[in-house]
Amino acid sequence: MALFLAAVEQGLIWGLAALGVYLSFRVLNFPDLSVDGTFPLGAAVTATLISRGWDPFGALALAAAAGMAGGLWTAALSTRFRIQGLLAGVLTMIMLYSLNLRVMGRPNLPLLGRPSAFRTLSHLTGLPGDWAKVLGAGLLGLGCAALLIALFRTELGLALRASGDNPTTAQAYGLSPAAQLTWGLALSNGLVALSGGLAAQYLGFADIGMGIGTIVSSLAAVIIGEILFRPRGVGWGLLAALGGSVVYQGAIRVALRYGSRLGFTAADMRLLTALVVLAALVAPAWRLRKEG
Amino acid sequence: MLTLHGVSKTFRLGKESVRALDGIDLGVGAGEFLTVIGSNGAGKTTLLNVIAGTCWPDSGRIAVAGQDVTAWPAYRRARFIGRVFQDPRQGTAPHLTVAENLALAAQKGPRTLRWALGRARLAFFRRELAVLGMDLEKRLNERAAYLSGGERQALAVLMATFTRPKVLLLDEHTAALDPAHAERVLEITDQLVRAHHITSLMVTHRMDHALRVGSRLVMMHKGRVLLDLGAAAKANLGVEDLVGLFRKVGVVDDELLLTDAKACAAQ
Ligand SMILES: Nc1ncnc2c1ncn2[C@@H]1O[C@H](COP(=O)(O)OP(=O)(O)OP(=O)(O)O)[C@@H](O)[C@H]1O
Ligand SMILES: [Mg+2]
């Protein structure tokens, strides 16, 4: 039960990052690697502000804003300076590593005994801590997914989707591909940083290394969601990414608990995750070849 | 409605250079429907690209409805200019549904937080799709990728015209279709253009198409306009006469054969 709850909580919290990655990879068709920098940026900003006495919700809002700035930066590298998408993301990620250290002032910032969004929620509702965490993660995860689903049904959201789907068509209907990429990446990285900020409050610390592999684990969540739920359309795609994130976190918990019997340690998790993503990426091509 | 003044464009590939447009002067009046013919490499696509803004001229000026748009990026000109490409995949977004594609085309100005598929809009889309006579009004929620090439191109023509652009650019937009669909899409184009009096430029390799529709015919060769026939002159012309004119203005035979072969293949 505790394992199940942990999977749901973490799946929803890290699922916010999966929503962001779904937006950049699947909707905008832009392989944005800056998330490995904007996730810990969100954590760093949140932890720093809370340790200075900020309200945890205000800290989250500022974390999201910082993430959006990171997305704007990557978009600027790509559209203004014509740097290739992958490289633009990597550059942002590396720059943010230093910036995050500056923000925190040291590599690890504990938040023990500090207020958190989950604790506030527990006070407000009278729920025990664990359930408050599920509630908080659920509210934010599902709330953001719902907002995105609604956004995608508006003219603005349609513009974003069209410009990722077919830039030539989008341009012929009055959309600037650069402008669409810019606000799309801002939104995507805002979500990722929000995820990072919430993760810091959940874990009780921010760490300079906590962003490593965000892109891979988020992509794993998106892909697992697509394989398990076979979503039709972007709305279901977003929900599938959240679901995929829960499944992924559950699998990681199980692997951590029982994997030791097979000789796995926590250090092997990244390798395993990467292998899962690799398998998911290769499988469709392999199946196609087999079918002829 | 559309004027080009001394528009030139040279492509350089290493040491080689191709003068795709060689000082084009062209004025197209409101409601005129130009058909543009010419051998391969004559500069027809480049002409449309320069007008649409997806390619910058080296010199010259372009004005639409009296407004100089030479320095405008393509997406800004798109508010005045509708465009259909040769490749049916370029004119529609494959993962968006038929209705969503139409919604994308319905609002060319700044987008807002309004629902893209409101009830009134869907009713409007159904009415417009019914005009095509392809039963697409029953397939509003299907992805564009699942439509046939002809259906997709008909949808693209509708999308490009239903915001009543000041200028419509069609680049061999029936060339990739089977004969029956090509005829149908040409018919639809002619019908929509005339119903809404849209100033149009249609590039085609089919001489019979160039003669059948449109109110004016322009022949290009090596980046220049060699022949410009008004409605009256055009009406008395047959495909044979057109081929003869091609020869007379000095298009060498093998170049012409190429266009002929292409036209035959299409028929
Ligand atoms: N982007 C480009 N780079 C280099 N050369 C180009 C480019 N676009 C066009 N050209 C050259 O410019 C000339 C005119 O090309 P254009 O595509 O306008 O011809 P066209 O009349 O449309 O021919 P077709 O009937 O084959 O479509 C050709 O010689 C072509 O090779
Ligand atoms: Mg061409």
Side-chain angles (χ1 to χ4, degrees):
Chain A
M1 187 64 193
L3 193 135
F4 175 72
L5 275 189
V8 172
E9 291 160 12
Q10 297 180 15
L12 289 167
I13 292 170
W14 272 261
L16 287 170
L19 293 180
V21 165
Y22 183 87
L23 181 56
S24 56
F25 271 71
R26 290 289 188 262
V27 177
L28 295 171
N29 248 321
F30 185 92
D32 181 21
L33 300 188
S34 37
V35 295
D36 269 34
T38 47
F39 184 86
L41 173 67
V45 168
T46 303
T48 307
L49 291 177
I50 289 181
S51 66
R52 293 202 181 152
W54 270 58
D55 168 79
F57 290 97
L60 279 181
L62 223 69
M68 292 179 94
L72 289 180
W73 173 251
T74 303
L77 291 183
S78 162
T79 60
R80 297 238 175 256
F81 306 117
R82 314 240 162 226
I83 295 171
Q84 225 189 352
L86 282 171
L87 193 56
V90 169
L91 284 174
T92 305
M93 175 178 115
I94 296 297
M95 290 165 130
L96 283 177
Y97 187 88
S98 296
L99 192 77
N100 292 340
L101 266 176
R102 281 267 174 209
V103 170
M104 292 199 289
R106 52 193 189 175
N108 187 294
L109 198 61
L111 291 172
L112 282 176
R114 296 281 182 177
S116 82
F118 302 109
R119 210 175 289 172
T120 310
L121 216 57
S122 170
H123 278 308
L124 281 177
T125 58
L127 285 171
D130 272 347
W131 289 104
K133 281 181 182 168
V134 174
L135 182 67
L139 278 179
L140 220 61
L142 291 172
C144 285
L147 281 178
L148 278 179
I149 291 172
L151 175 70
F152 284 149
R153 290 164 159 268
T154 67
E155 287 176 353
L156 275 173
L158 186 66
L160 212 56
R161 291 166 58 202
S163 124
D165 195 26
N166 190 342
T168 313
T169 307
Q171 184 167 277
Y173 289 100
L175 295 172
S176 146
Q180 298 305 315
L181 184 70
T182 301
W183 81 271
L185 284 189
L187 194 59
S188 161
N189 282 285
L191 280 166
V192 174
L194 186 63
S195 175
L198 207 59
Q201 299 193 17
Y202 175 83
L203 297 169
F205 64 85
D207 187 273
I208 190 66
M210 72 194 287
I212 301 172
T214 304
I215 186 60
V216 180
S217 58
S218 303
L219 213 48
V222 169
I223 291 171
I224 290 172
E226 285 170 346
I227 290 174
L228 287 183
F229 306 113
R230 305 202 166 275
R232 266 184 61 87
V234 275
W236 292 111
L238 287 165
L239 291 175
L242 270 189
S245 176
V246 171
V247 172
Y248 170 77
Q249 293 291 342
I252 292 284
R253 290 312 106 199
V254 170
L256 279 177
R257 180 168 302 176
Y258 303 106
S260 57
R261 294 187 197 156
L262 302 170
F264 290 127
T265 68
D268 298 318
M269 277 308 115
R270 295 221 157 100
L271 178 63
L272 287 177
T273 305
L275 286 176
V276 167
V277 172
L278 186 67
L281 291 177
V282 173
W286 186 69
R287 202 184 314 149
L288 271 183
R289 202 179 317 159
K290 215 170 69 175
E291 282 166 8
Chain B
M1 185 55 69
L2 171 71
T3 40
L4 283 85
H5 263 303
V7 173
S8 295
K9 174 78 190 177
T10 303
F11 290 107
R12 280 179 198 84
L13 298 163
K15 276 182 196 161
E16 305 258 318
S17 74
V18 183
R19 203 155 173 79
L21 294 178
D22 191 2
I24 298 270
D25 288 306
L26 188 69
V28 186
E32 266 193 305
F33 184 176
L34 247 72
T35 52
V36 182
I37 55 173
S39 48
N40 291 115
K44 307 178 295 291
T45 297
T46 309
L47 178 72
L48 296 200
N49 283 341
V50 160
I51 296 170
T54 50
C55 159
W56 300 88
D58 302 327
S59 61
R61 310 220 63 84
I62 298 149
V64 178
Q67 205 156 12
D68 189 321
V69 298
T70 315
W72 289 25
Y75 70 86
R76 224 178 131 199
R77 295 188 204 186
R79 285 198 206 165
F80 301 153
I81 297 179
R83 189 159 197 205
V84 182
F85 303 88
Q86 176 172 353
D87 182 352
R89 284 171 304 184
Q90 286 200 297
T92 47
H95 293 99
L96 301 192
T97 63
V98 170
E100 286 168 340
N101 268 289
L102 287 165
L104 171 71
Q107 175 62 35
K108 280 177 152 190
R111 269 70 172 179
T112 64
L113 278 174
R114 231 178 332 168
W115 296 125
L117 300 176
R119 198 174 289 227
R121 259 205 187 159
L122 284 175
F124 171 62
F125 293 165
R126 275 200 198 91
R127 276 200 307 278
E128 294 275 320
L129 283 168
V131 175
L132 302 181
M134 287 182 160
D135 278 348
L136 287 181
E137 64 275 14
K138 293 173 190 145
R139 300 167 71 183
L140 275 178
N141 293 318
E142 217 163 302
R143 290 186 179 189
Y146 298 149
L147 304 183
S148 75
E151 290 163 344
R152 225 171 142 176
Q153 203 66 329
L155 176 63
V157 173
L158 184 62
M159 284 165 64
T161 52
F162 84 172
T163 46
R164 317 292 178 245
K166 296 202 186 304
V167 174
L168 176 66
L169 305 174
L170 308 155
D171 192 358
E172 296 189 53
H173 70 303
T174 61
L177 309 179
D178 67 62
H181 272 116
E183 291 300 318
R184 184 78 194 107
V185 170
L186 183 72
E187 243 172 71
I188 290 167
T189 308
D190 190 40
Q191 187 185 339
L192 288 171
V193 164
R194 288 198 298 181
H196 306 305
H197 306 287
I198 303 169
T199 311
S200 306
L201 270 73
M202 182 179 93
V203 172
T204 180
H205 272 285
R206 295 277 305 265
M207 310 242 183
D208 56 328
H209 286 183
L211 287 170
R212 189 170 355 136
V213 301
S215 57
R216 185 174 156 193
L217 187 147
V218 162
M219 186 194 290
M220 287 185 68
H221 187 58
K222 294 196 169 152
R224 290 167 178 269
V225 173
L226 287 191
L227 201 70
D228 191 338
L229 300 174
K234 182 169 166 290
N236 299 322
L237 223 60
V239 171
E240 282 307 309
D241 307 318
L242 207 53
V243 173
L245 279 172
F246 251 116
R247 291 227 167 81
K248 218 165 87 188
V249 293
V251 178
V252 286
D253 273 329
D254 55 338
E255 276 174 284
L256 190 56
L257 277 176
L258 239 162
T259 26
D260 269 350
K262 209 166 169 181
C264 289
Q267 277 162 352

